Amino acid sequence: DVKVTQSSRYLVKRTGEKVFLECVQDMDHENMFWYRQDPGLGLRLIYFSYDVKMKEKGDIPEGYSVSREKKERFSLILESASTNQTSMYLCASSLQTSGYSYEQYFGPGTRLTVT
Amino acid sequence: AQRVTQPEKLLSVFKGAPVELKCNYSYSGSPELFWYVQYSRQRLQLLLRHISRESIKGFTADLNKGETSFHLKKPFAQEEDSAMYYCARAGGATNKLIFGTGTLLAVQP
């Protein structure tokens, strides 16, 4: 079974704090993704990475950065947390392929509250 | 831009009734389409993909290129089908997925 784990299920931070969300997968997947999930807005892609040290912006990268130093780990960084970043954050991973899109495996999510 | 539209935020049906969750996509060649499901307190997971033409948990989805739709159907809803359902399409060559806004299915006893 693919396992995608996220460092925290719940997190409460103050406005202006630097926040790190960690994601680890154990299936040697090349691709890793960070989404935020908000009611009525669905899943929106923040950043994704298709290889170590490689990253690409998704649809809503503003206010976020990412780090991928090892294949199994993909970190999401909120440089200066703001209340509008209160959300559920989902990490996912998938195999790299050309042509056919493979299944994305999701972590349990981190519910971040910024006060 | 490639889009996925799920027009219903909430669909409430009674147990045993037929279910159809609507999904429309913006036209772009031959899309790869998926349905993902998230049960209460569980992680998001793949339900089915159009290329497999499979039936999972009694659900099927047919790609209709003429109507650019990929509706999810089940003839007889069960209470355990209550969940959030997301339609998604592959985002071209980058292995990304583009998700719809989701439909919450509530099956009443």
Side-chain angles (χ1 to χ4, degrees), chain A residues 1-5 24-27 93 105-107, chain B residues 43:
Chain A
D1 271 355
V2 175
K3 282 221 177 124
V4 181
T5 57
V24 177
Q25 50 94 5
D26 66 357
M27 284 301 290
S93 72
Y105 294 86
F106 284 83
Chain B
R43 61 186 69 195

mmCIF file of all heavy atoms in Angstrom, chain A residues 1-5 24-27 93 105-107, chain B residues 43:
data_model
loop_
_atom_site.group_PDB
_atom_site.id
_atom_site.type_symbol
_atom_site.label_atom_id
_atom_site.label_comp_id
_atom_site.label_asym_id
_atom_site.label_seq_id
_atom_site.Cartn_x
_atom_site.Cartn_y
_atom_site.Cartn_z
ATOM 1 N N ASP A 1 0.826 -1.204 0.000
ATOM 2 C CA ASP A 1 0.000 0.000 0.000
ATOM 3 C C ASP A 1 0.860 1.253 0.000
ATOM 4 O O ASP A 1 1.827 1.338 0.729
ATOM 5 C CB ASP A 1 -0.876 0.035 1.258
ATOM 6 C CG ASP A 1 -2.209 -0.662 1.059
ATOM 7 O OD1 ASP A 1 -2.462 -1.078 -0.080
ATOM 8 O OD2 ASP A 1 -2.956 -0.776 2.030
ATOM 9 N N VAL A 2 0.461 2.195 -0.843
ATOM 10 C CA VAL A 2 1.140 3.486 -0.842
ATOM 11 C C VAL A 2 0.799 4.220 0.431
ATOM 12 O O VAL A 2 -0.345 4.237 0.868
ATOM 13 C CB VAL A 2 0.676 4.334 -2.041
ATOM 14 C CG1 VAL A 2 1.294 5.724 -1.972
ATOM 15 C CG2 VAL A 2 1.039 3.649 -3.333
ATOM 16 N N LYS A 3 1.813 4.788 1.035
ATOM 17 C CA LYS A 3 1.525 5.586 2.215
ATOM 18 C C LYS A 3 2.056 6.989 2.007
ATOM 19 O O LYS A 3 3.234 7.191 1.716
ATOM 20 C CB LYS A 3 2.181 4.974 3.438
ATOM 21 C CG LYS A 3 1.438 3.782 4.000
ATOM 22 C CD LYS A 3 1.427 3.817 5.501
ATOM 23 C CE LYS A 3 0.597 2.641 6.034
ATOM 24 N NZ LYS A 3 1.356 1.815 6.932
ATOM 25 N N VAL A 4 1.165 7.942 2.159
ATOM 26 C CA VAL A 4 1.541 9.340 2.151
ATOM 27 C C VAL A 4 1.185 9.881 3.529
ATOM 28 O O VAL A 4 0.025 9.816 3.946
ATOM 29 C CB VAL A 4 0.783 10.121 1.054
ATOM 30 C CG1 VAL A 4 1.212 11.582 1.066
ATOM 31 C CG2 VAL A 4 1.042 9.500 -0.322
ATOM 32 N N THR A 5 2.187 10.370 4.216
ATOM 33 C CA THR A 5 1.950 10.872 5.560
ATOM 34 C C THR A 5 2.247 12.369 5.615
ATOM 35 O O THR A 5 3.114 12.879 4.897
ATOM 36 C CB THR A 5 2.827 10.140 6.591
ATOM 37 O OG1 THR A 5 4.200 10.283 6.223
ATOM 38 C CG2 THR A 5 2.492 8.661 6.639
ATOM 39 N N VAL A 24 5.586 13.067 3.427
ATOM 40 C CA VAL A 24 6.511 11.985 3.096
ATOM 41 C C VAL A 24 5.736 10.858 2.423
ATOM 42 O O VAL A 24 4.667 10.478 2.885
ATOM 43 C CB VAL A 24 7.218 11.452 4.363
ATOM 44 C CG1 VAL A 24 8.126 10.274 4.009
ATOM 45 C CG2 VAL A 24 8.006 12.554 5.036
ATOM 46 N N GLN A 25 6.307 10.325 1.321
ATOM 47 C CA GLN A 25 5.702 9.156 0.673
ATOM 48 C C GLN A 25 6.745 8.048 0.587
ATOM 49 O O GLN A 25 7.944 8.309 0.464
ATOM 50 C CB GLN A 25 5.150 9.524 -0.722
ATOM 51 C CG GLN A 25 6.112 10.265 -1.630
ATOM 52 C CD GLN A 25 6.908 9.397 -2.570
ATOM 53 O OE1 GLN A 25 6.710 8.167 -2.649
ATOM 54 N NE2 GLN A 25 7.820 10.015 -3.306
ATOM 55 N N ASP A 26 6.242 6.807 0.648
ATOM 56 C CA ASP A 26 7.166 5.676 0.745
ATOM 57 C C ASP A 26 7.166 4.784 -0.487
ATOM 58 O O ASP A 26 7.587 3.629 -0.423
ATOM 59 C CB ASP A 26 6.846 4.855 2.003
ATOM 60 C CG ASP A 26 5.482 4.175 1.920
ATOM 61 O OD1 ASP A 26 4.753 4.365 0.925
ATOM 62 O OD2 ASP A 26 5.144 3.450 2.879
ATOM 63 N N MET A 27 6.664 5.298 -1.629
ATOM 64 C CA MET A 27 6.556 4.444 -2.814
ATOM 65 C C MET A 27 7.469 4.873 -3.952
ATOM 66 O O MET A 27 7.242 4.499 -5.091
ATOM 67 C CB MET A 27 5.099 4.401 -3.299
ATOM 68 C CG MET A 27 4.222 3.532 -2.439
ATOM 69 S SD MET A 27 4.795 1.808 -2.368
ATOM 70 C CE MET A 27 4.430 1.266 -4.034
ATOM 71 N N SER A 93 1.006 12.148 -4.087
ATOM 72 C CA SER A 93 2.137 11.709 -4.899
ATOM 73 C C SER A 93 1.646 10.800 -6.005
ATOM 74 O O SER A 93 0.561 10.212 -5.921
ATOM 75 C CB SER A 93 3.184 10.994 -4.040
ATOM 76 O OG SER A 93 2.719 9.710 -3.642
ATOM 77 N N TYR A 105 -2.030 9.581 -5.000
ATOM 78 C CA TYR A 105 -2.301 9.057 -3.657
ATOM 79 C C TYR A 105 -2.192 10.218 -2.671
ATOM 80 O O TYR A 105 -1.189 10.927 -2.659
ATOM 81 C CB TYR A 105 -1.304 7.962 -3.302
ATOM 82 C CG TYR A 105 -1.455 6.727 -4.160
ATOM 83 C CD1 TYR A 105 -0.816 6.642 -5.386
ATOM 84 C CD2 TYR A 105 -2.247 5.660 -3.749
ATOM 85 C CE1 TYR A 105 -0.959 5.526 -6.190
ATOM 86 C CE2 TYR A 105 -2.387 4.535 -4.536
ATOM 87 C CZ TYR A 105 -1.746 4.475 -5.763
ATOM 88 O OH TYR A 105 -1.896 3.368 -6.541
ATOM 89 N N PHE A 106 -3.209 10.346 -1.839
ATOM 90 C CA PHE A 106 -3.298 11.505 -0.971
ATOM 91 C C PHE A 106 -2.945 11.188 0.475
ATOM 92 O O PHE A 106 -3.186 10.076 0.974
ATOM 93 C CB PHE A 106 -4.718 12.088 -1.018
ATOM 94 C CG PHE A 106 -4.990 12.870 -2.272
ATOM 95 C CD1 PHE A 106 -5.360 12.233 -3.434
ATOM 96 C CD2 PHE A 106 -4.845 14.244 -2.277
ATOM 97 C CE1 PHE A 106 -5.586 12.948 -4.606
ATOM 98 C CE2 PHE A 106 -5.069 14.970 -3.446
ATOM 99 C CZ PHE A 106 -5.437 14.316 -4.600
ATOM 100 N N GLY A 107 -2.418 12.188 1.146
ATOM 101 C CA GLY A 107 -2.217 12.113 2.579
ATOM 102 C C GLY A 107 -3.511 12.435 3.306
ATOM 103 O O GLY A 107 -4.514 12.798 2.683
ATOM 104 N N ARG B 43 -9.092 9.830 3.825
ATOM 105 C CA ARG B 43 -8.360 10.585 2.828
ATOM 106 C C ARG B 43 -8.999 10.457 1.449
ATOM 107 O O ARG B 43 -9.742 9.517 1.184
ATOM 108 C CB ARG B 43 -6.899 10.162 2.791
ATOM 109 C CG ARG B 43 -6.634 8.716 2.445
ATOM 110 C CD ARG B 43 -5.154 8.386 2.586
ATOM 111 N NE ARG B 43 -4.690 8.396 3.967
ATOM 112 C CZ ARG B 43 -3.416 8.428 4.330
ATOM 113 N NH1 ARG B 43 -2.470 8.454 3.413
ATOM 114 N NH2 ARG B 43 -3.066 8.421 5.603
#
